[in-house]
Amino acid sequence: MSALDIWLVIAGMTVVTIVTRSLFLAVGDRMTLPARLQHALRFAPAAALMAIVLPDLLWNQGHLEASWTNPRLMAGIAATAFYVATRRMLGMVIVGMGVFTVLRLWG
């Protein structure tokens, strides 16, 4: 790619980002979403988080490893169980990192 191509791509991405992010501000209250769509959009942050976190938990050293020997997966399960039981975010991070560190050093 030439320097001109790179700058054109950057400019295009800038325009697309500005238009898509400002669309909701420009339209404002003039457009209402259907109730079903509003309800479905409530799950978008959780789905995005799972799309980011789950591959990292399941992939170990370049291949899919959904077994008990995967320290990332076990740490994720332990952290999730701790959070479900206590609803403490900081504790979840500490438990997850602790389990991951112990399993990584042990295994």
Side-chain angles (χ1 to χ4, degrees):
M1 288 183 85
S2 69
L4 178 63
D5 291 339
I6 293 172
W7 283 109
L8 287 174
V9 168
I10 290 172
M13 290 181 351
T14 303
V15 169
V16 168
T17 300
I18 290 171
V19 168
T20 58
R21 291 182 184 218
S22 65
L23 183 65
F24 293 106
L25 295 174
V27 173
D29 292 332
R30 292 181 294 234
M31 184 179 98
T32 58
L33 297 174
R36 289 185 74 175
L37 183 58
Q38 287 180 355
H39 182 70
L41 285 174
R42 289 181 24 197
F43 300 104
L49 183 62
M50 289 305 295
I52 294 169
V53 172
L54 199 58
D56 191 45
L57 294 179
L58 292 176
W59 286 87
N60 190 19
Q61 298 178 359
H63 62 279
L64 180 68
E65 186 179 335
S67 69
W68 298 104
T69 60
N70 184 350
R72 290 179 181 170
L73 181 60
M74 293 301 104
I77 291 171
T80 302
F82 180 85
Y83 182 76
V84 167
T86 65
R87 299 285 187 213
R88 295 179 184 234
M89 186 71 69
L90 182 59
M92 177 191 73
V93 172
I94 292 169
V95 166
M97 291 305 297
V99 169
F100 176 69
T101 301
V102 167
L103 290 177
R104 198 179 73 187
L105 293 175
W106 184 29

